[in-house]
Amino acid sequence: MSPSFHIPYLLPTALLALALVLKLPTFLRASRDPDVRATTLLLVWATAVLVVITPVNIERLNDLTDVPNIASPWAYSFLTAFCATGLTMIMRWREAPSVGRRRRIRRIYWIYAGVVAVLWLTFLLADVPTARVYDLDTYYAGTPWMREHILLYIAAHTVSSLVAVSMLWKWFPEVANRWLKAGVVFLQLGFASGLVFDVAKAAAIGARWSGHDWDVLSTRAAPPFALLEAALVALGFIVPQVGPALQKWVRDQREYRRLGPLWHALRNLAPAAAEARFGPWTPLDLRLLQRRQRIHDALRLLGPYVDPALYRRAQEAARCGDGVPDADGVAGALAISAAVGAYRQGGPPVAGPREPQAGVVVSGRIESIASALHRPRILEDVRRRMTSTGSAHHHG
């Protein structure tokens, strides 16, 4: 058996296992949430199917239990559970909570639990002494009880795929959320791949009954579509849940980094009243909240040192220059830099009549000020322009 033959099984199995590991913390935090629980179960069943149907694992399971072909009821039971969970999750997404929806979901679980029970019963009644790793479905296509065992799992899978494709096709035009729409597309492709798998299996079995050999449809053509279905359906249910969270994380990460220069410039002005020590594992949204809060605390402390005249001059110099994307942000960055210097030197607050709104204006522009601090060359150009303008006015 060539190791390269197992690579198509290993890749989607590893991806599903990784998705399951990433989902576990959410499951532990919100195990009572039906959607979280169903998503986790779906990943468990999909991963279990791919683990069991990998040829090397089929051989290991046969050797471990000393029961030829015992992998068959295990794999088909996991596949049936996967189908049931997928159908119920689509129903949870499409329909608002209601007594009718809950009743239909419960009915699906009972029907597919019955299918699993019959799968085990037919396997126990069948006489399948020869272990078949690659061609079990066609080899035993005419064997009593095993024939029913094989047809039952194909029928259950076909029905679930057809119902899922039909529901998704009707629902797709109503979906507005882009992440959910992407998930629906993945699901449609996944269940359509499952239908191709079923057609290939059924054609190979039908050929056996009529005395022809189309086993290649079952052994070579069908398995890739089963792997594709598991991966696409899992993606379809994961993307709408992970997508928005990932988008928010990227947005928070970008803002956290953008505020970095401003935070570093202000962090040592005064300690927070009750400083919280956040470690590297602290959620990003909490660290971002703390960073914003410390910036605002420091700006309130700097308020008396912000020179409104300096701010206006910097604003005018920035607007007169080329390549300055945000004059207000640049002016705020220069005014804060000067205020930090005055505060650290122990100098007095800005003399003369105060403009109460000057500090407020600066505090309300922390994003643009932080962005300006990322462009030291522009700040230096504006500062130089202010100096030259001041000198010209002085000589004039």
Side-chain angles (χ1 to χ4, degrees):
M1 185 186 305
S2 171
S4 62
F5 184 81
H6 299 148
I7 292 177
Y9 294 87
L10 294 177
L11 292 178
T13 305
L15 288 175
L16 286 171
L18 177 61
L20 180 59
V21 170
L22 294 176
K23 191 69 179 176
L24 279 179
T26 305
F27 174 75
L28 295 176
R29 286 196 307 268
S31 59
R32 294 185 179 181
D33 186 325
D35 290 341
V36 172
R37 191 164 57 241
T39 305
T40 307
L41 282 175
L42 183 95
L43 292 173
V44 169
W45 303 141
T47 305
V49 170
L50 296 187
V51 168
V52 173
I53 67 172
T54 302
V56 66
N57 290 334
I58 293 176
E59 294 180 341
R60 287 172 180 167
L61 196 55
N62 289 339
D63 295 339
L64 182 65
T65 61
D66 201 27
V67 177
N69 304 305
I70 189 63
S72 173
W74 278 113
Y76 299 157
S77 296
F78 289 138
L79 180 62
T80 302
F82 172 82
C83 294
T85 308
L87 283 177
T88 58
M89 282 198 66
I90 294 173
M91 293 175 64
R92 291 182 195 278
W93 283 2
R94 290 184 67 217
E95 306 174 26
S98 65
V99 175
R101 190 192 76 169
R102 187 163 56 250
R103 188 182 300 117
R104 287 192 296 275
I105 288 175
R106 192 180 299 117
R107 187 181 301 130
I108 288 174
Y109 281 137
W110 277 112
I111 290 173
Y112 277 83
V115 171
V116 171
V118 176
L119 282 172
W120 281 95
L121 178 62
T122 51
F123 178 78
L124 293 174
L125 293 173
D127 182 20
V128 285
T130 305
R132 308 299 299 185
V133 175
Y134 302 103
D135 61 347
L136 177 120
D137 292 344
T138 51
Y139 186 85
Y140 288 111
T143 302
W145 295 114
M146 195 61 183
R147 173 184 56 224
E148 288 74 15
H149 175 86
I150 296 166
L151 291 177
L152 179 60
Y153 98 81
I154 294 177
H157 186 257
T158 302
V159 169
S160 69
S161 297
L162 284 172
V163 172
V165 168
S166 175
M167 288 195 298
L168 292 167
W169 183 263
K170 294 177 182 177
W171 185 38
F172 183 79
E174 304 172 12
V175 180
N177 181 279
R178 62 171 182 167
W179 290 108
L180 185 55
K181 211 173 190 71
V184 171
V185 171
F186 279 121
L187 289 173
Q188 287 177 316
L189 293 174
F191 286 114
S193 299
L195 287 174
V196 176
F197 167 85
D198 294 327
V199 169
K201 285 284 185 179
I205 291 170
R208 274 283 183 140
W209 291 345
S210 62
H212 298 86
D213 184 358
W214 290 2
D215 288 12
V216 68
L217 292 177
S218 177
T219 58
R220 292 289 180 178
F225 288 99
L227 301 177
L228 188 61
E229 178 193 13
L232 288 174
V233 171
L235 277 175
F237 287 118
I238 292 170
V239 165
Q241 298 183 49
V242 174
L246 181 60
Q247 186 179 26
K248 181 180 182 302
W249 184 89
V250 170
R251 186 171 59 247
D252 289 350
Q253 184 70 30
R254 189 183 300 120
E255 183 177 0
Y256 186 80
R257 290 180 177 176
R258 189 169 60 244
L259 292 176
L262 182 57
W263 176 68
H264 282 290
L266 302 175
R267 60 183 299 188
N268 294 324
L269 291 183
E275 186 173 351
R277 296 292 182 181
F278 286 167
W281 300 109
T282 304
L284 178 60
D285 55 350
L286 291 181
R287 287 186 283 132
L288 176 60
L289 179 64
Q290 184 193 54
R291 177 163 287 190
R292 293 181 66 93
Q293 185 60 49
R294 288 183 177 177
I295 288 173
H296 282 292
D297 289 344
L299 289 178
R300 278 195 295 269
L301 189 66
L302 282 177
Y305 296 87
V306 176
D307 186 348
L310 174 65
Y311 177 82
R312 285 195 301 271
R313 284 192 290 114
Q315 198 176 43
E316 292 172 4
R319 287 173 178 170
C320 292
D322 296 329
V324 179
D326 187 345
D328 294 337
V330 170
L334 292 174
I336 285 177
S337 298
V340 170
Y343 177 84
R344 286 179 175 169
Q345 291 171 10
V350 177
R354 295 286 304 152
E355 295 184 24
Q357 296 301 317
V360 176
V361 168
V362 171
S363 297
R365 301 185 184 280
I366 64 170
E367 288 83 5
S368 58
I369 292 171
S371 297
L373 289 172
H374 278 281
R375 301 179 175 90
R377 185 185 59 80
I378 292 178
L379 293 179
E380 188 58 35
D381 289 345
V382 173
R383 187 180 287 112
R384 191 181 304 111
R385 195 176 301 118
M386 289 170 60
T387 303
S388 62
T389 303
S391 299
H393 284 210
H394 175 73
H395 289 298

